[in-house]
Amino acid sequence: MKPKSPFGSSFLISFFLSRTRRKGDMAGVPGANDVIGSSKNGISDHENSGSGHSKDVNSISSVSDTEGTEEVLEDDQQSDLRTLAELICFEEVPPKWYARLGEFSPLFKPSFSEIETECMEVFEKKKMETKKILGNFDGQISLSVEILRCESYFDPSCCGDYLCLSAHFIDENWELNNWVLHFCSISVSGPSDDSLHKYEDWGILRSLEDWGIENKISALTVKNDDCNNELVEFLKTHIQEKMELQLNSKLFCVYCCGEMISVMVQDAFDKIADIVHKVRQVYTFKTDYPMWFLKLLNLQEALKLWAQGNLSSRDVTHSRNVPSPEEWKKVEGVCKIVENIYKVTESEFFNEAPLTPNVHLCRLLKLRKILAKMSIDSDSFNRTVVEDMLKKFDKYWDDMFLLLAISAALDPRLKMRYIEFVCSEVKDWNGNSQVAVVFGAIHKLFDEYVVRFPLQYNQQFIHLNDHPKEKSDLDCYLEQPVLTPSQGFNELAWWKTASAKYPTLSRMARDFLAIPVSLATQSEAYYTVPKPTDEHIVCLKPDLMNALMCTRSWV
């Protein structure tokens, strides 16, 4: 969780109002107003006017006072410029506010280039601090790659796709961090078919080398498509030159859970795409935004009106464009399927942020049971829709099961007993074999941590007192009864407390619980296109755009 920013939402206005009042106190000082409106070097127009009047003692004194005031005001302006830059870097203040500075304080009108320069200085300073934290971090870091999109009607030059590379890790205080490391514009057409070398993996490797963390990467979370799969293989090859990836890199590639669900739903809607086109001839969608749950709501409203007899061929010129009763039934069936998926995803997957990977196995099992039940209860058309969904789901389940099972075993409410339960629940599985694979993988990983992180003397003493002789952290942890589920349980807080008792296993848990299984939370998960990015940010120069995206994630 990010610490609270020192700037509130109303800070910008109060900052300039307070500054206006502060400078207003100097209204009686000769030349003060001239200095406020002076150039960057603090030389006022009054001083350059050459009025020709002789200076008596009082005027000399006034000039002396003015010079002192100039220095104070120049220092104030530089301090205020830094404060403004920090506000822009650490808060979501859009650049459009820059042009409105004069509305709050006509006494403070820095140029955009001055603000940009100061923001870059704030970024470089903060980057050094962040780089030191990552350099001293003694655990593993997970990466995620997201492609965001901007479709600006006001500035077409901003339109396009943007890559966001983020680092996910749990720090020594057991706080989960999600820091942007690299944000840049990429080609809309994506990589060529030949090789990723042509576009240098969008600068990801250079960024990792710059941050000095290429030997700490354990996993990479992406969407499951050909482009990202090629990227995964490219990065995996280069990262494995720096370190040995866990379980022969079997856990390196992590596919986004939210994207898998979105693809399932989109495929279901695709099967009635022609019918939906007819529906739209008699019913205008109220919200035509690229989110699948909004499409569901529109179709449900159309179905309601049709059932009431309010949609008919009289509403269109050609009756052949109106859905037949059989087609309306197909729409109704698909909507029921999607509604069931929406209910479980809304309550289980995307109602909180961030989610650690230990919870996903439970929730995916629940979703699979719902799909399996619908495949039996549905008519032939809907059964085909659900069966295709199950194929995609089972492919994801097979690819991700080992990672999700290990993460679940590291949840004190689940452990290996839940893995045994899951394997017994899924039909057409060799449950005992799967349990043995997970059990063997956990022990192999733990043994690697024992070698990499030998216990310190005081940890050895605690370990001997807490554990029976010749029993490891892992053995003692798995033998303990599972915890009773409780409202508001925080697995990171539990491991923070238990880290003294399980020093080696807690290191392993800290690394695994930081892996993002889903890149989306709440409404973001329902997009059927790349998520939108802030057009106010992407319209800036590339360096400043990257600086703001990074610094805002570091505070």
Side-chain angles (χ1 to χ4, degrees):
M1 182 181 296
K2 292 191 230 178
K4 185 173 177 61
S5 169
F7 304 112
S9 58
S10 62
F11 180 85
L12 186 64
I13 296 176
S14 61
F15 164 67
F16 286 113
L17 289 179
S18 64
R19 192 186 191 287
T20 302
R21 287 193 293 269
R22 189 171 75 242
K23 296 300 187 287
D25 293 340
M26 298 182 180
V29 179
N33 291 332
D34 292 332
V35 174
I36 294 295
S38 69
S39 67
K40 184 178 178 181
N41 294 326
I43 303 174
S44 69
D45 294 334
H46 179 72
E47 290 178 275
N48 292 328
S49 64
S51 62
H53 293 292
S54 60
K55 298 181 178 62
D56 55 18
V57 174
N58 291 332
S59 65
I60 293 174
S61 175
S62 298
V63 170
S64 177
D65 291 341
T66 301
E67 290 174 350
T69 303
E70 289 174 0
E71 294 177 1
V72 172
L73 294 177
E74 188 172 359
D75 289 342
D76 272 351
Q77 284 199 333
Q78 186 58 43
S79 175
D80 289 343
L81 184 59
R82 173 53 61 97
T83 302
L84 174 61
E86 290 175 347
L87 175 65
I88 294 168
C89 287
F90 300 144
E91 288 288 322
E92 295 185 4
V93 178
K96 66 181 181 181
W97 279 92
Y98 304 158
R100 300 186 59 192
L101 297 180
E103 296 180 20
F104 301 109
S105 175
L107 310 177
F108 181 56
K109 295 182 179 180
S111 67
F112 186 88
S113 62
E114 288 177 313
I115 297 174
E116 180 181 25
T117 300
E118 199 68 26
C119 284
M120 292 306 299
E121 290 184 7
V122 170
F123 164 70
E124 291 296 340
K125 180 181 178 181
K126 190 66 179 177
K127 181 179 178 181
M128 293 301 294
E129 298 174 5
T130 305
K131 198 171 183 178
K132 185 176 180 180
I133 293 173
L134 293 177
N136 293 333
F137 181 64
D138 62 352
Q140 294 188 333
I141 296 172
S142 296
L143 299 177
S144 67
V145 171
E146 286 190 89
I147 305 299
L148 309 179
R149 179 165 296 169
C150 178
E151 297 179 355
S152 175
Y153 296 100
F154 303 103
D155 190 350
S157 65
C158 298
C159 297
D161 289 352
Y162 296 82
L163 177 138
C164 184
L165 174 69
S166 300
H168 307 258
F169 66 99
I170 296 172
D171 60 28
E172 294 180 353
N173 294 319
W174 286 87
E175 294 286 343
L176 182 58
N177 296 276
N178 176 7
W179 289 356
V180 177
L181 301 181
H182 181 58
F183 189 87
C184 67
S185 174
I186 60 174
S187 170
V188 177
S189 60
S192 67
D193 294 332
D194 300 332
S195 171
L196 287 167
H197 292 283
K198 286 192 175 181
Y199 66 108
E200 297 180 337
D201 72 303
W202 295 310
I204 294 177
L205 278 180
R206 290 199 307 273
S207 179
L208 296 180
E209 291 171 359
D210 177 45
W211 285 101
I213 60 173
E214 65 271 27
N215 62 339
K216 298 182 180 182
I217 306 304
S218 62
L220 174 65
T221 303
V222 295
K223 290 187 175 182
N224 188 2
D225 57 40
D226 292 339
C227 172
N228 281 321
N229 290 336
E230 187 180 358
L231 176 64
V232 167
E233 291 303 316
F234 180 77
L235 292 177
K236 181 171 68 175
T237 301
H238 285 75
I239 288 174
Q240 201 145 16
E241 294 175 357
K242 305 288 183 179
M243 63 179 292
E244 183 178 353
L245 294 172
Q246 295 171 330
L247 296 181
N248 296 322
S249 76
K250 290 181 180 178
L251 305 177
F252 180 73
C253 181
V254 182
Y255 292 125
C256 175
C257 174
E259 186 256 351
M260 178 272 296
I261 295 173
S262 181
V263 167
M264 283 197 317
V265 173
Q266 288 181 75
D267 286 351
F269 280 137
D270 285 345
K271 287 181 171 58
I272 57 169
D274 293 341
I275 306 175
V276 172
H277 177 72
K278 292 181 180 181
V279 171
R280 299 186 70 149
Q281 301 298 311
V282 294
Y283 177 78
T284 302
F285 282 15
K286 294 178 181 178
T287 306
D288 199 9
Y289 206 64
M291 303 179 78
W292 60 261
F293 88 91
L294 292 178
K295 189 171 187 176
L296 169 65
L297 295 179
N298 278 297
L299 289 175
Q300 287 177 327
E301 182 63 24
L303 282 165
K304 181 180 177 182
L305 293 173
W306 171 72
Q308 295 171 350
N310 294 326
L311 297 181
S312 68
S313 59
R314 290 174 299 177
D315 299 317
V316 294
T317 305
H318 304 291
S319 60
R320 56 189 168 83
N321 290 329
V322 179
S324 66
E326 292 77 16
E327 289 176 324
W328 277 112
K329 288 296 183 183
K330 288 184 178 181
V331 174
E332 184 178 25
V334 170
C335 283
K336 285 182 178 178
I337 295 169
V338 174
E339 182 180 21
N340 282 323
I341 295 174
Y342 175 65
K343 286 179 180 178
V344 70
T345 54
E346 183 186 35
S347 62
E348 299 287 343
F349 286 91
F350 311 128
N351 64 333
E352 54 185 304
L355 285 178
T356 46
N358 53 298
V359 301
H360 279 84
L361 191 64
C362 310
R363 297 173 184 193
L364 284 170
L365 179 63
K366 184 175 182 179
L367 178 57
R368 193 185 190 285
K369 287 183 176 180
I370 290 174
L371 291 173
K373 185 176 186 302
M374 288 191 295
S375 69
I376 298 173
D377 297 342
S378 303
D379 60 26
S380 59
F381 174 77
N382 292 333
R383 188 179 305 117
T384 301
V385 174
V386 178
E387 286 175 351
D388 286 349
M389 285 183 163
L390 272 170
K391 288 178 183 177
K392 292 179 175 60
F393 181 94
D394 287 342
K395 176 65 167 62
Y396 182 86
W397 180 275
D398 291 340
D399 290 340
M400 297 296 299
F401 179 75
L402 184 59
L403 170 66
L404 297 178
I406 293 173
S407 301
L410 293 170
D411 188 324
R413 300 165 297 177
L414 304 175
K415 301 188 179 182
M416 283 301 298
R417 297 180 189 181
Y418 186 75
I419 309 305
E420 295 168 359
F421 168 75
V422 170
C423 291
S424 67
E425 287 286 299
V426 180
K427 295 181 180 180
D428 303 325
W429 254 36
N430 187 342
N432 293 332
S433 175
Q434 291 295 330
V435 171
V437 168
V438 175
F439 191 75
I442 291 178
H443 277 82
K444 187 175 188 307
L445 287 167
F446 179 78
D447 291 341
E448 292 177 3
Y449 275 81
V450 170
V451 174
R452 288 175 54 205
F453 303 104
L455 297 181
Q456 302 297 323
Y457 177 78
N458 60 326
Q459 292 176 319
Q460 293 177 12
F461 177 76
I462 296 173
H463 189 273
L464 288 173
N465 281 276
D466 285 347
H467 303 317
K469 190 176 181 181
E470 296 182 356
K471 283 198 174 182
S472 67
D473 285 10
L474 179 60
D475 293 331
C476 292
Y477 165 78
L478 293 177
E479 288 175 1
Q480 290 295 313
V482 296
L483 297 182
T484 302
S486 59
Q487 187 73 22
F489 177 80
N490 187 319
E491 58 277 358
L492 298 186
W494 186 90
W495 274 108
K496 181 179 181 180
T497 302
S499 59
K501 185 176 182 180
Y502 307 112
T504 303
L505 187 61
S506 64
R507 279 183 172 273
M508 181 172 155
R510 193 176 72 169
D511 290 340
F512 267 84
L513 296 180
I515 299 175
V517 174
S518 182
L519 298 176
T521 57
Q522 299 174 347
S523 63
E524 294 177 349
Y526 303 105
Y527 276 99
T528 55
V529 298
K531 292 185 298 184
T533 188
D534 188 346
E535 66 179 86
H536 298 298
I537 297 294
V538 299
C539 289
L540 300 172
K541 292 180 181 179
D543 286 346
L544 183 58
M545 173 183 70
N546 176 67
L548 297 189
M549 289 297 294
C550 289
T551 53
R552 290 178 179 184
S553 72
W554 298 342
V555 295

